Amino acid sequence: MPSITINGRKCEFTPGQTILQIANANGADIPQYCYHDGLSIVASCRICLCEVHAPNPKTGAIEPFMGGKLLPSCQQTASDGMVVYSDSPKAVANQKGVMEFLLINHPLDCPVCDQSGECFLQDYSYAYGRGVSRFQEDKVKQPKKDVGPHVFLYSDRCIMCTRCVRFTREVSGTAELMVMGRGNKEEIDVFPGVPLDNELSANVVDICPVGALLDKDFLFTQRVWFLREAPSIDGLTASGDNLWVHHNEGKVYRVKPRPNARVNKFWITDEVRYGWKFVHSDDRLRQPTRKQFGTPVTCDYAKAYDDVIEGIRKATAHGKRLAVMISPMLSCEEAYLLAKLARRLDPRAVLALGPVPTHGQDKIFPAGASETDPKAFKMYAEKAPNARGVRRVLGAFGGQIEEYDGFLKALGKGLGASDVGAVIATGNYPSEWATDDLTTSLGGKFVVLLDTLVNPLCDRADVVLPGATWVEKSGTFENAKSMLQAFEQAIPVVEAAKSEGQLALDLWAVLDGREMPGEAVRPMMLETTRGQVAAGVQVAVPFGTIFNAADVRREMARTYPALSVFESGVSMPPSEPSPQTDMAMVEL
Ligand code: SF4
Ligand code: FES
């Protein structure tokens, strides 16, 4: 394999890679602003300039390449035997010069800047800057602009790397942003009357290396150094986009794309970025309820679980069956535990997939690109993360497995007659989901609802058990490309709610006759270790085994050969990055 040497370190590479790409892949330190793996190379910021030497093709002697001038490492393709220096006196002098020019008109407003703590300009000032400013004149002041529904532009912080402009031309294909003016009057802007308003618009905030483009939704809500991040998967659409969920003290503050070349490249849609708001909705179900004289009243889990088991037993006592509808918003592990519970309660139970919402058509960015283009990005019309995973799991159980229409028919839709006496329905959708068909088909049946948001079915159900959103639990989703991807729990489950997997395990324990804990609800701290284990504070005490997605996957693979893929074929999230502190913590 060909190799080059960067700052004394030998790095192998694939022909066609640039020096900077090789440096980034090998952890070698070369500063960079305008370069981005997902965009074209313009080599405009000039901070990545390096001193390059290469073997003379005739003599083999290592000599200065291209006459010894500094070369942009982001643009220069590597050749075997090159020797590169980003830390030579010449390269360092350039870095200091570039930093000085960039900071000439940059406001010193780090204390009030949202990007502070994750800003390349800030980091490179420490690493490559001068430490003092020699600039005596007045700074050029540029305006703050409202450029689109999700994005503010603080023009005076911009370093003109043009990443944002290239994004709107090459990725979204909408070209709303442009460079206007010349010299120190140069600024980013939108065309009059054409705001930055496309389905991918907020990605420009992620790629802006400084605090010029800001997310309106996150603006001034948290300092980034307070945020913790959990690797997650899109829990709202069939994309399987890889995410970081940034949270603090049990609250999600923002969602960012996690690069994955096979899935979302470097991007996510605004729909996925902002769709998590229902997690903290006032309409979240927080306590179990049961019907008392026809009215839903809150109760503890012991009473709710007893009612569920007793109600289902009574309703299925005379040849009637249980039907269980598993939402495509739930993970594969939860689908497995609920199906297993259903078949224990009634070996003839009908297992069905819940409604799979769609909205419009699939969309490819940029418009007109082929889906097979490695740079194309796809937005999915299917607004559920795991329809394929739930189908896969239910299929392994055999017996009567239905799609949503078949489930409604099994409940007696259109016929009036049905051999179903009890129903367990799961929701977990981010908005209203229960159709009139479903509500009318439930007439005369014992109904248990596992859901996250208040909805009309709550009044109809005999018992309601509060579930958890995907950021409150770990699990696996199968995306539209049939990739199984695991995700971690980011925040604790709201108040006394429990994940649907935990509810299934609790009901299993009640069926086993296991003794109930003395108090139904009390605070308790679980392991904070990463690795598919529930993390953080759990308020509701589990009755059964604690839900652990990794354990459930192993059981699935052991029990059903058709599910063996859950043992070895699941892409796991990355492990926690080690903290990189540049200062010692002092106990006061
Ligand atoms: S706004 Fe940000 S991404 Fe756009 S050119 Fe300026 S610094 Fe670069
Ligand atoms: S990163 Fe190479 S010139 Fe900007």
Side-chain angles (χ1 to χ4, degrees), residues 333 474-476 486-489 529-534 547-551 553 572-573:
E333 293 84 347
S474 54
T476 306
F487 55 93
E488 294 276 6
Q489 179 180 5
T529 333
R530 295 277 289 267
Q532 300 289 292
V533 181
F547 173 68
N548 179 321
D551 287 348
R553 283 198 297 275
M572 297 303 291

Side-chain angles (χ1 to χ4, degrees), residues 372-446:
T372 50
D373 181 338
K375 290 207 156 179
F377 181 87
K378 187 168 179 182
M379 179 175 154
Y380 288 84
E382 188 176 314
K383 305 302 179 199
N386 198 32
R388 286 156 196 79
V390 173
R391 273 191 206 110
R392 184 193 286 267
V393 171
L394 298 190
F397 279 82
Q400 189 177 351
I401 310 295
E402 299 287 355
E403 292 284 312
Y404 187 56
D405 280 348
F407 172 70
L408 291 177
K409 280 196 192 119
L411 296 190
K413 180 195 160 195
L415 305 170
S418 160
D419 67 347
V420 172
V423 174
I424 298 178
T426 57
N428 214 316
Y429 296 88
S431 57
E432 195 69 59
W433 66 273
T435 55
D436 290 344
D437 283 355
L438 175 63
T439 317
T440 48
S441 307
L442 290 174
K445 298 174 179 65
F446 178 78

